[in-house]
Amino acid sequence: MWRFVRNVAACLVGILLGGGVNMAIVVLGPMFIPPPIGVDVSDADSLRLSIHLFEPRHFVAPFLAHALGTLLGSLAAYLIAARNRAAMAYVVGVFFLAGGVVASFIIPAPVWFIALDLVVAYIPMAWLAVHLGRRVAVRLGRAG
């Protein structure tokens, strides 16, 4: 029973941490790469009406938010999990992938960005988290 609770906690912590990282980057991103003049990135209608003004550089922060949020959330899940660590990391990755799919229908973006985001930012980041997690676990003496 304890292992189950710990695995559920690992996934929840991973989702919360990943979501926090995601939101922080989304909020701070426009400070580093400002949106086109007159665009309110917090308003879906403003985005929909002005998405044609966005350049590839405007999609760096959203991509990093998705990729780094998934990576750090999956890594946390891997390191916290009691058993089946890789599976817990992938649960977090799939959770964020599902969010990315939903967002791709709600938030307007070019097809190239949606494809890149869905293919690279989620499951590959969970895979990377598993490999990083194995290395960290060995160094912490928690391999297995």
Side-chain angles (χ1 to χ4, degrees):
M1 180 66 170
W2 164 246
R3 290 179 181 150
F4 174 78
V5 170
R6 186 160 166 186
N7 282 351
V8 169
C11 290
L12 290 175
V13 168
I15 289 167
L16 291 173
L17 176 67
V21 168
N22 183 325
M23 288 308 299
I25 295 172
V26 166
V27 168
L28 296 174
M31 296 168 77
F32 297 101
I33 303 173
I37 295 172
V39 177
D40 180 4
V41 294
S42 65
D43 178 28
D45 286 332
S46 177
L47 280 173
R48 185 178 47 76
L49 294 172
S50 57
I51 196 69
H52 66 281
L53 300 173
F54 281 68
E55 300 171 15
R57 67 189 176 104
H58 294 112
F59 295 96
V60 171
F63 177 79
L64 287 176
H66 301 164
L68 294 177
T70 302
L71 175 66
L72 294 176
S74 294
L75 180 60
Y78 182 92
L79 293 173
I80 294 169
R83 263 200 182 165
N84 302 318
R85 291 179 179 174
M88 298 307 106
Y90 284 115
V91 165
V92 172
V94 168
F95 177 86
F96 284 113
L97 173 61
V101 169
V102 170
S104 72
F105 287 103
I106 296 171
I107 303 168
V111 172
W112 68 263
F113 175 74
I114 292 170
L116 175 70
D117 193 53
L118 295 179
V119 171
V120 179
Y122 302 105
I123 302 306
M125 292 299 116
W127 176 86
L128 182 59
V130 168
H131 290 277
L132 291 172
R134 286 182 181 144
R135 288 180 173 216
V136 170
V138 166
R139 291 187 187 225
L140 294 175
R142 293 187 47 212

